[in-house]
Amino acid sequence: MRQVGCALGLAALVAAGPLGAQTMRTYGASRPVADAQPPLRTTLEFGAGRVVVRAGADDALYDVGLRYDADRYTPLHRYDPRTGILQLGLKTVGGTGLRVTSRGQLEQVARFAFAPTVPIILQAHLGASEAVLDLGGLTLVELVVRSGVTRGTVDFSSPTRGDCREALFSVGAAELVAMRLANAGCAEVRVEGGVGRAVLDFTGSWRRNTRLTAELSMGTLTLRIPRGTGVRVTADRFLTRFDLDDFARTGNTWSTPDFAGATRTLSVALTTNVAGFEVEWVD
Amino acid sequence: MPRAGNRAPLLALLALILVAPLPVRADSAAINTGELTDRVRELLPFLGSPSAPLLPQVVQASAQGGPSVDPSRLDAPERLEIELRSALREPIGETRLTVIDGIARIGHYSLGSAERHRGHVVVLKGDAEVHGQLEGNLVTLDGDIIIHPGARVTGDVLALGGKVRDPAGGITGSRQEIAAFTPVRAPAPWPAVVARRGAGLLGVFLTMLVLGFGMVTFGRPNLEIVSDTVTHSFGRSFLAGVIGQVLVLPTFGMLVVGLFLTVAGALLIPFAVVVYALLAIVAVLGGVLAVAHAMGETITRRRMARGLAVSPNSYRYVLTGLVAIAASWVAWVGFGWVPVAGTIAFLAAALGTWCVATAGFGAALLSRGGIREEFTGRLLPPAMMTDEYLWATPQLGVPAVKRPPKDSA
């Protein structure tokens, strides 16, 4: 019986045969800004790899550079000039099999750049990507960032143009860091957290008062707020660790002493379950 | 020689061609290698020219149900590439392709500055140069797209396996380029991996065996002293080996600096470098062989203790020890291709070999290359340097008189 088992095991190993080769390709796409350019409604899809998003040249509506595993993905590029709907990134082609080459060989890379002058509604679905989004300088109308299981950084290195209605950060099991959010000038910021960690840094150039709505489940949310900002936190919490020593509590509301007279305010509405929440003051 | 004789006319013809006068160029009298090559190929077409440009030609539309592409939407470039490649025939002139609302061309395509073309253009196996007005989409397969200043393409362009060059911004739509396939080297099948690694292990083993037998033949006393040092002072040897590895480079630097600071010594630096490197290699290799000797001796003596009749000699010790060391690599040879397990096997074998090399290196240092016997356990300790051992009680003792049983009294 043992001999039969050994023979079957050996046969299975032999039948597995040589493993297939992977193919990496590069892809580039761009489009000039049209004369009557509608706002850009962009969806970025990128499942795995490294992603960089930033503002590009004024005359290029978008500029994309990809390096991807052609056995598993194919470039996604759809644009409707009438509506401004744009889809960019990679979509799967159903490739399967064991990846046996080194990570460096098969590392997928994506670079996206958008015209700073064209209003943009940006949805970024980052999956398991390691993303760095520098959205400073863009005419940002709305932002949605959905991060899966790896680390993502959204930075507003310089003030955006126009008025941003909303920024939504959805964190699965990932760590998402949003830097210099005040430069985004968004009226409302929303955070949907799973078991990951989100750090929202509200430094930068404040243009308006901001509302923050956070729904956390087993995740951790850290707010970095410039000292002198009036903050009010309204919490609906369950088994949540709070770190609000400098706040005055009234029922389910915590406020900084100077909230009523502050020149800039941040109103936070928290719904948390078995989560962590803390505020760090930045000088 | 008959084959050489057959080639003679061809060689003579080539020689004639090569010495024939080339057209005189006003800018340079030097012979242009490219022209020479072209001339040879022109006169000897049977030589072939794999990189020769294709003769530009129109692709005829395919029959009903034949290959057809629609370049009006270029949002699935890889699918379009597959369709175009599957339409290619050999010879290329046999290719038939229907382009919906457009035309297909083979080879270099150029649209003149005074020309205007309406409809899509698909160019196979060639570059597309636009000087004029193109109202439609432009696609190339294995070719570049060049939009010259003053030209205008009212539509999208896509270069499959090529580049898009549009310095003046003459494209109103999107520009896409997708590089040719660059396959990542396919991993070798695991039997080949096993065979290659096995051969490598065998080669290293045989090399070490030859070196070991050489040391036994010509330097047996030194080898045995280093081996005994490992056996009797393993911990001390290992520690000395670790410290020695750390100090190898600083010592080398001090040696070079010291020699450099003296006028005469500076001349010796090249020799010192070579000698130092050789000493280090000899210390490590000799140390490994000494550890192998010690391991082999231990294994052989255990076998003899079990009653096996084997010949206890240093050649056997070295062979047995090297087999034992190589055995740690056999697991990696056999299963190194297995993810995770292969890495673990490699790390285990590498760690074991490093320990062996470190202990051997340290033993070589402690024994000064097999000269000093302080750590070999051969010298009697001071406590033993008396004559008391002559009067010591025999280890087996003296059997006592058996006490008579009580009931016998």
Side-chain angles (χ1 to χ4, degrees):
Chain A
M1 198 63 192
R2 181 189 291 179
Q3 290 172 343
V4 173
C6 291
L8 286 175
L10 189 62
L13 282 174
V14 172
L19 297 159
Q22 285 87 6
T23 304
M24 301 303 288
R25 298 191 88 175
T26 57
Y27 171 81
S30 64
R31 174 181 286 270
V33 175
D35 293 336
Q37 180 64 52
L40 207 52
R41 302 165 188 272
T42 307
T43 303
L44 302 184
E45 302 274 358
F46 199 77
R50 283 191 296 123
V51 185
V52 176
V53 181
R54 59 179 174 78
D58 283 342
D59 57 348
L61 184 62
Y62 57 84
D63 191 354
V64 185
L66 304 173
R67 179 177 185 266
Y68 64 97
D69 180 356
D71 291 341
R72 290 165 177 76
Y73 295 94
T74 191
L76 174 63
H77 173 226
R78 290 196 190 106
Y79 179 68
D80 185 344
R82 292 180 295 104
T83 60
I85 294 175
L86 171 66
Q87 287 180 287
L88 291 174
L90 293 176
K91 62 179 179 181
T92 57
V93 291
T96 58
L98 191 64
R99 296 165 72 102
V100 292
T101 46
S102 67
R103 182 170 180 258
Q105 272 184 301
L106 289 177
E107 187 175 44
Q108 297 193 132
V109 180
R111 169 188 52 79
F112 302 99
F114 299 99
T117 54
V118 177
I120 182 171
I121 297 171
L122 180 61
Q123 288 194 34
H125 300 166
L126 302 176
S129 304
E130 189 177 324
V132 177
L133 283 67
D134 184 354
L135 307 179
L138 290 175
T139 308
L140 191 65
V141 177
E142 201 173 308
L143 173 67
V144 176
V145 177
R146 298 190 187 278
S147 185
V149 293
T150 52
R151 182 186 170 89
T153 302
V154 181
D155 189 10
F156 296 89
S157 59
S158 60
T160 57
R161 309 176 192 193
D163 292 329
C164 171
R165 289 196 298 263
E166 182 183 85
L168 167 63
F169 301 101
S170 177
V171 186
E175 182 182 66
L176 183 73
V177 179
M179 302 287 292
R180 292 175 275 210
L181 264 172
N183 282 339
C186 292
E188 179 149 3
V189 177
R190 289 170 55 204
V191 178
E192 296 171 355
V195 297
R197 177 169 182 259
V199 178
L200 304 184
D201 172 41
F202 283 90
T203 60
S205 175
W206 280 70
R207 279 177 276 173
R208 58 166 73 173
N209 295 332
T210 303
R211 291 188 308 277
L212 169 63
T213 305
E215 296 178 4
L216 302 173
S217 299
M218 300 179 69
T220 303
L221 174 64
T222 303
L223 304 183
R224 291 181 186 151
I225 304 170
R227 204 173 289 281
T229 306
V231 181
R232 181 169 61 198
V233 180
T234 305
D236 178 6
R237 57 180 181 149
F238 172 72
L239 291 179
T240 297
R241 176 175 52 83
F242 260 45
D243 183 15
L244 299 175
D245 294 338
D246 301 334
F247 289 68
R249 180 177 181 180
T250 308
N252 285 336
T253 303
W254 288 257
S255 302
T256 53
D258 59 342
F259 180 78
T263 54
R264 54 178 188 262
T265 61
L266 175 65
S267 302
V268 182
L270 272 178
T271 304
T272 62
N273 294 299
V274 200
F277 174 74
E278 61 183 1
V279 173
E280 294 178 6
W281 295 104
V282 180
D283 292 318
Chain B
M1 288 309 291
R3 290 186 62 82
N6 293 341
R7 287 180 181 172
L10 179 61
L11 293 173
L13 182 59
L14 274 172
L16 281 174
I17 293 163
L18 293 175
V19 299
L22 291 164
V24 177
R25 291 180 54 168
D27 54 342
S28 171
I31 295 176
N32 185 313
T33 310
E35 284 184 5
L36 191 62
T37 309
D38 291 343
R39 182 159 186 158
V40 170
R41 286 206 172 112
E42 186 180 344
L43 292 173
L44 301 174
F46 57 85
L47 289 178
S49 173
S51 60
L54 292 168
L55 192 66
Q57 54 193 294
V58 175
V59 177
Q60 302 298 323
S62 61
Q64 188 76 20
S68 173
V69 294
D70 181 6
S72 61
R73 290 179 62 87
L74 302 180
D75 52 6
E78 285 193 329
R79 193 174 62 198
L80 181 59
E81 180 183 15
I82 292 170
E83 291 173 354
L84 291 176
R85 290 196 188 283
S86 62
L88 292 176
R89 295 290 179 268
E90 193 65 37
I92 193 74
E94 298 294 320
T95 301
R96 298 288 181 269
L97 179 66
T98 298
V99 177
I100 298 173
D101 295 333
I103 60 167
R105 308 270 308 187
I106 288 175
H108 186 79
Y109 169 77
S110 180
L111 186 67
S113 57
E115 292 179 299
R116 174 190 294 266
H117 178 85
R118 285 188 177 176
H120 309 308
V121 177
V122 175
V123 180
L124 306 174
K125 299 288 181 183
D127 296 341
E129 292 194 56
V130 180
H131 299 268
Q133 310 289 316
L134 174 60
E135 297 176 7
N137 294 344
L138 175 59
V139 178
T140 60
L141 179 68
D142 296 333
D144 294 344
I145 294 175
I146 303 115
I147 312 298
H148 291 276
R152 190 164 186 82
V153 176
T154 312
D156 302 327
V157 303
L158 167 64
L160 298 163
K163 297 278 184 187
V164 178
R165 282 178 271 170
D166 179 26
I171 302 170
T172 62
S174 68
R175 45 181 286 181
Q176 300 179 72
E177 55 188 45
I178 187 165
F181 277 107
T182 52
V184 177
R185 188 170 61 87
W190 66 266
V193 172
V194 171
R196 191 176 69 242
R197 289 176 176 168
L201 179 64
L202 185 63
V204 173
F205 174 78
L206 291 177
T207 305
M208 294 296 289
L209 191 64
V210 169
L211 288 173
F213 282 7
M215 284 197 70
V216 171
T217 304
F218 299 108
R220 183 172 169 179
N222 300 65
L223 181 67
E224 287 182 343
I225 288 175
V226 179
S227 174
D228 289 347
T229 303
V230 173
T231 304
H232 291 276
S233 307
F234 182 82
R236 198 190 299 262
S237 299
F238 186 80
L239 189 61
V242 172
I243 295 172
Q245 288 173 26
V246 172
L247 293 179
V248 161
L249 283 179
T251 308
F252 177 69
M254 289 170 62
L255 175 69
V256 172
V257 171
L259 289 173
F260 185 75
L261 292 177
T262 62
V263 178
L267 300 174
L268 296 175
I269 287 178
F271 303 101
V273 169
V274 173
V275 169
Y276 191 87
L278 282 176
L279 281 176
I281 292 170
V282 167
V284 172
L285 285 179
V288 170
L289 290 172
V291 175
H293 184 278
M295 292 169 67
E297 187 174 359
T298 304
I299 294 169
T300 304
R301 292 193 185 285
R302 284 180 184 169
R303 295 182 69 192
M304 292 171 69
R306 289 202 302 269
L308 292 174
V310 292
S311 170
N313 60 71
S314 289
Y315 294 104
R316 175 181 291 276
Y317 296 161
V318 169
L319 174 63
T320 307
L322 286 177
V323 168
I325 295 172
S328 65
W329 287 97
V330 169
W332 173 71
V333 167
F335 299 99
W337 56 276
V338 180
V340 182
T343 307
I344 292 173
F346 175 80
L347 291 176
L351 183 65
T353 306
W354 176 79
C355 288
V356 165
T358 301
F361 182 55
L365 293 178
L366 286 178
S367 64
R368 308 292 190 271
I371 297 172
R372 292 176 57 182
E373 299 184 5
E374 277 84 345
F375 304 102
T376 60
R378 297 177 178 180
L379 302 178
L380 291 173
M384 295 289 289
M385 300 302 286
T386 68
D387 59 353
E388 288 183 9
Y389 71 96
L390 296 173
W391 307 98
T393 303
Q395 288 186 357
L396 296 176
V398 178
V401 176
K402 196 172 182 180
R403 178 180 294 180
K406 290 182 179 178
D407 54 353
S408 63

